[in-house]
Amino acid sequence: MILSLRSEVAEALEAALSSLDLPTDDLGIEEPPEDVPAVVASSAAFRLAGEVGSPPPEVAADVADAIDVDELTYVSRVDTEGAYLNFLPNETYFAETLDAGVDEEYGHLADRGESVVVEHTSANPTGPVHVGRARNPIIGDALANVLAFAGYDVERHYYVNDAGRQMAVFTWAYETFDEDDLDEEPSRDRIEYDLVRYYRKGNAFLEDASEEEVEAAEAEIEAIMRGLEAGDDEVYERVSEVVDQVLGGMRECLERLPAEFDEFVKETRFMRDGSTEDLAERLKETESATYEDEAWKVELDEFGIDKDLVFLRSDGTSLYTTRDLAHHEWKFDNFDRAVTVLGEDHKLQARQLDAALQILGNDTDVLDSIHYSWVNLPGGEGMSTRRGTGIMLDDLLDEAIDRAREEVESRMDDRIRDDDLDEADVARIAYQVGVGAVRYDIVAKQPTKAITFEWDRALDFEAQSAPYVQYVHARCCGILEGAGVDLDEGPAGLDDVDASLLETPEERALLETIARFPAVIEAAAEDLEPHQVATYTRTFAERFNAFYRECPVLADDVDPDLREARLALVAASRHTVANALSALGIAAPRSM
């Protein structure tokens, strides 16, 4: 709805400016502050004041006068506040918002006919996923969801580093040591927790063994790396035996978030099909390529990057970035757009990759990188899979679910005793709330800011948290069920109510907030910022709670027509908050 209103406002502004012989290249359309009753505003008068030589408020008044509100479908009037033009909605706007919101698909935008591949997580398959890296799958999955809501055809990819030294060390260690050589039991009964002990044992051996033993081990590790480079099937199978088992366990962990993938794309794919070798030869032929210090490099000074990109060793073997360049050209061949979610320590690498792709003649305007900072725990130490330090994501999720269960049980004692909820219900709600709390607390922050995860804040039912928002959905479901609505069948008959009966400030504010949802999805997808949706859900929860306090729905003294209109508003609220949470990858419980 607000997308239609914005389009209408844009057309009206453009026509008004043209009639005043003013430029229309920047209409200054934006969302007004919460205390302004408008839905759409324009700051164009600030820009235009210098061109016409008049004060911005005077320009704003002239533009407002040039707009014929009677010709508009969704606007009741245009007010000016200083240099701002504020567009206030009319009854048609509210009625169509309510009709749209009753549809359970509300917030899904039209198919754009454009494909996007979102690559995220891509942690090396050397062991369990730790908390420090949890931000990548949470942000990546939410971003993919938001893009799908916005009408893109989205694929979610995990790029598997199965050709580097780490995997060669892991493979050598797995084949060299026995269970009896290991110093510890697996900390969890899942395959990656079992196998990571070999990786740690191998690294400890390389640090502590004699020089002669280390040389022998390094020769075997080098042979594995060369075998992969040469496309040796036997070596590939040896490495894959380790990689695939560890990935299987990591997938189980990530599915708990949930973060699921359409494809695990292996790095060795681009070595075995010849595309890495072909790319390296093409790079050699460019004017930017040089051979020095026993390696082939690409000079990137013209891109403002003072560190050359090494793409080939003197012995002809490729590097991770060389394979990733081939990987990205494959993306360009198969998708209209590519988005990669990376840690902040990969910023230079991303710039080098973008520049090298341009040197190779690729259009990198279709490539975007999202960088995130780390997740810390209060008092937590640095995390390293190689050393076996840090807290695993599984442990964080377990504790989140346990803490959520305690909170849920304390709030639901009566219902549990009365058998309204059985053990399966309590376990499901605890899982939805606990995992939702972790996801929300992480995705709600701007990715570039480092965050410290704090339990009390994340699981606070009264503050701006996942449970706070989830509880709005549960409350909507409770009201609808109390009115006899079958939540699985949908609110029959609520798509033809009189929206003009919703005239209190709380009802209008909630309707306006519902109407904003498609535009929030649009903006979050355009800016690649899923935290915008999280910010919206907090405002939405506040608006719904204000409506709930002031506007009874099922009370006996509520007029039947008003009751139906308010039920429709609750149904629209339910779909809005459920879909907003879904875009963030968070469950919307029916009861809490």
Side-chain angles (χ1 to χ4, degrees):
M1 169 55 59
I2 199 169
L3 292 177
S4 299
L5 178 56
R6 280 176 178 262
S7 299
E8 182 175 77
V9 168
E11 292 176 4
L13 275 171
E14 188 168 352
L17 294 177
S18 296
S19 71
L20 296 171
D21 293 326
L22 296 174
T24 61
D25 53 315
D26 182 3
L27 301 177
I29 294 176
E30 59 188 60
E31 185 176 318
E34 288 188 11
D35 58 349
V36 175
V39 178
V40 177
S42 170
S43 60
F46 283 109
R47 174 182 59 84
L48 298 169
E51 300 197 26
V52 300
S54 300
E58 185 176 319
V59 175
D62 290 342
V63 174
D65 289 341
I67 296 174
D68 186 356
V69 173
D70 292 336
E71 295 294 320
L72 304 182
T73 303
Y74 299 117
V75 177
S76 63
R77 69 176 193 270
V78 182
D79 290 345
T80 59
E81 183 178 359
Y84 287 93
L85 288 91
N86 296 319
F87 294 80
L88 281 70
N90 60 19
E91 292 303 323
T92 301
Y93 171 84
F94 288 117
E96 292 193 14
T97 293
L98 198 57
D99 286 345
V102 170
D103 185 344
E104 65 181 3
E105 292 297 309
Y106 183 61
H108 289 83
L109 307 187
D111 185 359
R112 297 171 185 265
E114 184 174 347
S115 62
V116 181
V117 56
V118 178
E119 176 199 329
H120 68 85
T121 306
S122 302
N124 291 337
T126 53
V129 182
H130 63 63
V131 170
R133 294 288 183 180
R135 207 168 187 180
N136 197 316
I138 290 173
I139 292 174
D141 187 68
L143 178 59
N145 293 341
V146 166
L147 288 167
F149 262 80
Y152 293 95
D153 179 13
V154 179
E155 281 201 21
R156 299 157 169 83
H157 285 190
Y158 187 122
Y159 185 51
V160 183
N161 179 359
D162 63 335
R165 174 180 166 80
Q166 286 180 311
M167 294 318 303
V169 170
F170 203 160
T171 302
W172 160 78
Y174 178 67
E175 296 174 344
T176 299
F177 300 105
D178 297 322
E179 175 75 27
D180 293 341
D181 298 320
L182 306 178
D183 301 327
E184 64 203 51
E185 293 295 318
S187 58
R188 185 180 291 262
D189 184 19
R190 208 169 61 215
I191 188 64
E192 80 272 33
Y193 286 87
D194 180 14
L195 296 188
V196 74
R197 298 178 301 152
Y198 293 90
Y199 180 63
R200 292 168 183 162
K201 178 67 177 180
N203 280 290
F205 180 89
L206 294 174
E207 290 180 358
D208 301 332
S210 67
E211 183 176 344
E212 182 178 341
E213 290 174 316
V214 170
E215 286 181 359
E218 289 290 357
E220 294 185 45
I221 293 166
E222 181 67 20
I224 292 172
M225 295 177 67
R226 287 184 174 277
L228 289 175
E229 190 78 33
D232 187 303
D233 289 339
E234 181 184 357
V235 173
Y236 174 76
E237 292 299 330
R238 289 165 58 196
V239 174
S240 293
E241 182 180 358
V242 176
V243 170
D244 292 346
Q245 289 187 84
V246 175
L247 274 179
M250 294 173 74
R251 285 182 78 163
E252 287 188 42
C253 172
L254 293 168
E255 285 170 1
R256 299 180 68 192
L257 281 172
E260 298 183 356
F261 296 88
D262 297 297
E263 188 171 353
F264 283 72
V265 181
K266 288 186 175 181
E267 181 184 5
T268 48
R269 171 178 182 166
F270 305 102
M271 302 165 71
R272 294 168 64 81
D273 68 4
S275 58
T276 298
E277 182 179 359
D278 174 70
L279 182 141
E281 292 302 315
R282 287 162 50 213
L283 269 180
K284 283 183 184 180
E285 296 171 1
T286 66
E287 295 181 357
S288 303
T290 62
Y291 183 82
E292 58 183 34
D293 298 329
E294 299 185 343
W296 279 95
K297 305 176 182 180
V298 176
E299 295 180 343
L300 304 175
D301 293 345
E302 63 178 300
F303 297 91
I305 303 172
D306 58 10
K307 185 174 182 179
D308 297 341
L309 174 66
V310 178
F311 67 91
L312 213 59
R313 301 182 183 92
S314 58
D315 60 4
T317 57
S318 60
L319 288 87
Y320 173 86
T321 305
T322 327
R323 276 99 69 176
D324 202 18
L325 287 167
H327 172 216
H328 275 76
E329 288 198 329
W330 171 80
K331 288 183 183 181
F332 296 157
D333 288 340
N334 290 278
F335 300 94
D336 298 317
R337 187 177 174 194
V339 181
T340 310
V341 182
L342 298 165
E344 62 182 1
D345 55 334
H346 287 78
K347 286 183 178 179
L348 174 60
Q349 176 189 324
R351 291 180 62 208
Q352 290 177 314
L353 184 139
D354 187 288
L357 287 169
Q358 290 186 55
I359 289 171
L360 287 165
N362 295 284
D363 176 11
T364 60
D365 288 342
V366 299
L367 175 63
D368 291 288
S369 296
I370 308 303
H371 296 274
Y372 64 91
S373 189
W374 309 120
V375 176
N376 303 306
L377 296 176
E381 59 180 302
M383 299 183 188
S384 167
T385 305
R386 182 178 65 83
R387 296 192 307 271
T389 61
I391 298 173
M392 298 303 110
L393 178 58
D394 279 308
D395 298 327
L396 177 68
L397 296 178
D398 285 347
E399 184 162 357
I401 293 167
D402 289 344
R403 287 175 179 248
R405 185 185 182 99
E406 292 176 6
E407 184 68 27
V408 168
E409 287 179 337
S410 71
R411 289 170 172 267
M412 297 179 128
D413 280 345
D414 291 338
R415 294 182 62 186
I416 294 171
R417 282 196 300 270
D418 294 339
D419 295 328
D420 286 349
L421 296 172
D422 59 20
E423 168 59 27
D425 292 323
V426 175
R428 171 183 51 79
I429 296 168
Y431 173 82
Q432 291 175 329
V433 172
V435 175
V438 171
R439 284 192 68 125
Y440 191 92
D441 198 65
I442 289 174
V443 78
K445 311 297 191 307
Q446 290 189 21
T448 54
K449 295 182 178 179
I451 61 174
T452 299
F453 184 85
E454 297 177 0
W455 292 111
D456 291 343
R457 180 189 63 209
L459 289 169
D460 191 342
F461 278 64
E462 309 301 332
Q464 295 181 338
S465 62
Y468 178 70
V469 178
Q470 288 172 312
Y471 197 68
V472 168
H473 181 265
R475 180 164 275 167
C476 289
C477 292
I479 294 171
L480 293 169
E481 287 181 319
V485 174
D486 186 331
L487 297 181
D488 294 319
E489 295 296 328
L494 296 183
D495 56 352
D496 186 27
V497 300
D498 186 356
S500 67
L501 296 174
L502 303 172
E503 55 188 8
T504 69
E506 292 80 13
E507 290 165 328
R508 289 297 165 108
L510 181 55
L511 265 175
E512 289 174 4
T513 308
I514 290 170
R516 282 180 47 216
F517 180 46
V520 170
I521 290 292
E522 174 91 356
E526 182 177 338
D527 300 335
L528 302 178
E529 293 182 343
H531 70 266
Q532 292 187 28
V533 180
T535 301
Y536 168 80
T537 63
R538 292 196 290 264
T539 300
F540 181 88
E542 291 167 359
R543 295 281 171 83
F544 181 85
N545 288 334
F547 158 78
Y548 181 80
R549 288 191 302 268
E550 301 298 329
C551 304
V553 179
L554 303 180
D556 292 339
D557 59 348
V558 177
D559 176 81
D561 290 338
L562 177 58
R563 177 181 183 274
E564 290 299 298
R566 286 179 175 173
L567 275 175
L569 183 56
V570 172
S573 296
R574 178 199 171 203
H575 294 149
T576 301
V577 72
N579 289 336
L581 287 170
S582 178
L584 298 174
I586 296 170
R590 290 188 178 184
S591 57
M592 286 177 65

